[in-house]
Amino acid sequence: MTLPVHSLDRKSLQIKLLHNPESQSDWDRLAAYAGGHRATGRPTDPASEGDTDIAGKPSPPSADPDPDPSSQLPPTGGFVEPGIEQLSSEALFRRAKQLVDGERFGEAIELTNRWLAATTEESSDPMLAFIRAHAHRQSGRTEEALEILRPYRDQASNPWIPFELGLIHKALGQAEEAYLCFREAKGLQPDFTWASIEASRTTVDGNVPLGRLDAITAQACDTGAPVDVHLDRSLRCGSLLLLIGWCREAFPSGSLFRLSDPLMPGAHAVGSGTFYHRPDVCQALALPEHQRHGFATLIDCSGFRRWSELGRLVLIVEPEGEDKARPTSAELCLAEVPEETSAPRFFEAALGVFRVSIDSGNRWPDSLRLFTPQTVMEASGLFARHVAAERSDVEVHWLTRTPLARPPVASVIFVQLGSFLAAKPAILQLAKCGLPLELIVVNNSPELFSETFHILDRFADIRSGLRIGILNRATNLGFSAGCNLGAAHATGECLLFHNNDLFADSVADYHHLIRRAMSEPNAIHSAFQYFTDGTLMQEGLTATRLTTAKAGAIPLFNGFSVGRNQTRADVIACSGSLMAMSAPLFHHLGGFSEEIIYAHFEDFDLCLRARQEGISVRVWDDIKFYHAEGTGSVAPYHLSGTTSHVNRLLFSLKWRRELEAMDLPVEYSL
């Protein structure tokens, strides 16, 4: 008797066919489901359906009673790099900036010229004009740089436009014009230290009268008694200076601190501070316990020349909401401040005091005022340089003794921080799925290598076609660097980034996700995620503007799980906890950003870069994964509840223009 198509659900048919693949009628019924499932926010594409091949025809049953699962995978069409005319101006800016950062100025100029020719129109994007002018200036074509950027001076509210114009005028020997541009940049962003530095140097090198420094260098300072400040700890790493201490007066978080060199007017090191509750100080000074007299400040010292580091520098505080700066009793000589050569130890100190500020009762936006846009960018650069220096320090352990008979169709990459025990359900499912796979675990917790080794060694030769390896790191370089390291050692056509605390509803879900990533190599793929109690966790990510930040501060944006608590919005990204794509696409996008400090927002950043190049994000509703959120990693104290906020600021600084241009219906306070 022939059953109606819907008398067996999709999963039952799949299970039945797994045990009886010769049933042509079941294959026909399964094919009738084609077009029934969809990707969130996207129209169904018959060419990418899980039960059809590339041509859209039903997949034929295998004549082999024990078929090779890999034979059911469609051939990959191959990743096609987007043409230059498909790039948005933001994507072009990112590519050109990468070339400029590598001092490949001629290539950057050629790239932007080709894009302008391909689009047959001059871009109105000031930042694209900025990067073009910057490349021309660095390659010695200063007059051309001036012609490119000068039309944007009156249009732009971005301080980098007048700042670059100042550098161009300075290179042309036009000292007064350069000074005026630097002053304009400083007016657009008051804590733009580099503008102050260049203005000061211009007055020295170009003989501009010191009286012209006005708003940039001659900031008024009270002449009364200095504020009583005591420094408990000072630490330097690169250009960043971390000061921790207490102050007899309680100032609001976000107050600026600066060091000034009396022998070099206009040379400042500027940073912001967070004030927090210190019971020991309140008790010793007989002050009310609720007051916040402890403080920490992170200062950017990149503007000082060598002789400034040898003198005694006065610490000055500019209380938030007040017009005048106030001298303090604290003085220090930068040459006497201990230099921390270990970036992880410096971040442990800086992020640790940030966490202490939160734990003392501050709301996280107040504690985040420890960072200014400039110091968080300096911290990001410091972390990226640390990752680059330590990248090659890795031990590679392949546990599988039997070589693979064929290349793996997919490389599944886990990044471990803490115990790996939570990953056992996923490892067992992947071992059972039958596909030629490569499992790569990047261990960021070297002290747990033995435990991870013994867990994975049990699966090492459990079946043919499964290759398992551990990349053991000496230090924790973060999630982005871990994923990139795994991808660099991967040999699969498809890369599947997989959290430790995630597992599929069934083995078939891995088949479907890998199948779609291979059949659509020009897209990023993910699936619906559920809590372990069966409630929906997310069907993709969108962005939301936070109402938490104070007025006048940098607007902050956050990732938001679509579908959680029945919220609706367009999906613009997917979570890095489950992300599949072709290996060429991942490498084309440059991998995850290693400027992210340890973890958080690297997935959103990658998806937005893909979006700029017309590469879609597809989150499939008929593929189901469970996420035991929070059980897959154990972060140390200084990384717990801190890096998400710091990287939120980084993310907002980088993507502010693009996110403000989107229709973001959800705003909330975090």
Side-chain angles (χ1 to χ4, degrees), residues 120-411:
T120 67
E121 60 181 18
E122 181 72 31
S123 171
S124 60
D125 187 340
M127 289 307 292
L128 184 56
F130 160 78
I131 202 67
R132 291 180 64 215
H134 181 77
H136 279 78
R137 177 176 63 82
Q138 293 283 23
S139 59
R141 298 159 65 176
T142 315
E143 294 283 358
E144 294 178 58
L146 183 61
E147 292 302 316
I148 291 170
L149 199 56
R150 185 156 46 190
Y152 295 88
R153 180 172 181 178
D154 296 331
Q155 303 176 22
S157 59
N158 190 310
W160 288 101
I161 304 300
F163 181 73
E164 179 64 28
L165 276 169
L167 294 175
I168 293 170
H169 284 299
K170 185 176 178 181
L172 293 172
Q174 301 165 355
E176 291 201 9
E177 284 293 329
Y179 167 76
L180 292 173
C181 288
F182 295 137
R183 186 176 68 177
E184 182 180 341
K186 185 69 166 61
L188 290 171
Q189 184 175 317
D191 60 352
F192 196 173
T193 311
W194 290 327
S196 297
I197 294 166
E198 289 298 336
S200 175
R201 289 176 177 169
T202 301
T203 62
V204 175
D205 300 338
N207 293 320
V208 178
L210 287 178
R212 292 283 301 279
L213 291 175
D214 44 69
I216 296 183
T217 58
Q219 299 187 32
C221 191
D222 281 349
T223 56
V227 178
D228 190 8
V229 166
H230 295 261
L231 299 179
D232 294 333
R233 186 179 183 189
S234 55
L235 191 66
R236 290 186 70 184
C237 189
S239 63
L240 292 175
L241 170 67
L242 177 66
L243 301 177
I244 302 173
W246 59 270
C247 177
R248 188 173 290 272
E249 296 184 45
F251 295 112
S253 291
S255 297
L256 293 180
F257 286 85
R258 59 182 171 90
L259 297 169
S260 295
D261 184 352
L263 299 180
M264 187 180 178
H268 301 299
V270 182
S272 183
T274 177
F275 283 77
Y276 55 92
H277 179 215
R278 279 190 57 171
D280 57 332
V281 173
C282 293
Q283 183 177 5
L285 300 180
L287 296 170
E289 289 188 1
H290 69 278
Q291 291 186 3
R292 294 179 170 86
H293 293 272
F295 77 90
T297 179
L298 190 62
I299 297 176
D300 174 24
C301 297
S302 59
F304 280 147
R305 295 184 178 179
R306 185 61 185 167
W307 57 77
S308 297
E309 300 188 3
L310 302 177
R312 303 299 299 181
L313 306 178
V314 176
L315 182 65
I316 296 172
V317 61
E318 301 177 30
E320 187 174 48
E322 297 184 18
D323 295 332
K324 289 186 177 290
R326 300 176 61 183
T328 73
S329 60
E331 291 186 357
L332 72 159
C333 174
L334 290 179
E336 298 172 359
V337 175
E339 180 79 22
E340 178 56 77
T341 57
S342 169
R345 288 199 190 98
F346 181 81
F347 280 106
E348 182 177 356
L351 296 175
V353 75
F354 176 30
R355 179 59 193 264
V356 167
S357 176
I358 294 175
D359 288 348
S360 77
N362 280 336
R363 297 173 66 248
W364 69 262
D366 293 328
S367 298
L368 188 61
R369 302 299 291 275
L370 173 65
F371 296 90
T372 66
Q374 191 156 328
T375 55
V376 80
M377 294 298 291
E378 286 290 327
S380 172
L382 175 64
F383 188 79
R385 292 190 295 274
H386 165 62
V387 169
E390 300 292 328
R391 191 191 315 279
S392 60
D393 188 9
V394 59
E395 299 172 355
V396 182
H397 302 268
W398 292 108
L399 308 186
T400 307
R401 288 85 175 170
T402 307
L404 297 181
R406 65 182 68 181
V409 296
S411 297

Side-chain angles (χ1 to χ4, degrees), residues 612-669:
Q612 286 184 336
E613 301 197 20
I615 295 167
S616 62
V617 175
R618 300 176 69 85
V619 184
W620 299 95
D621 67 343
D622 64 321
I623 303 176
K624 189 174 185 179
F625 277 77
Y626 291 100
H627 195 164
E629 192 174 34
T631 64
S633 62
V634 180
Y637 176 79
H638 68 286
L639 299 183
S640 177
T642 57
T643 54
S644 59
H645 300 310
V646 174
N647 287 315
R648 182 179 295 112
L649 176 56
L650 269 174
F651 173 76
S652 301
L653 287 169
K654 181 175 181 179
W655 293 105
R656 175 181 175 181
R657 287 193 308 152
E658 289 75 10
L659 294 172
E660 286 182 336
M662 295 181 186
D663 180 19
L664 302 178
V666 180
E667 288 194 1
Y668 72 105
S669 179

Side-chain angles (χ1 to χ4, degrees), residues 420-431 459 500 502-504 510:
F420 195 63
L421 286 171
K424 288 180 70 174
I427 300 295
L428 183 61
Q429 288 179 322
L430 290 164
F459 296 93
N500 302 346
L502 199 77
F503 56 92
Y510 283 108

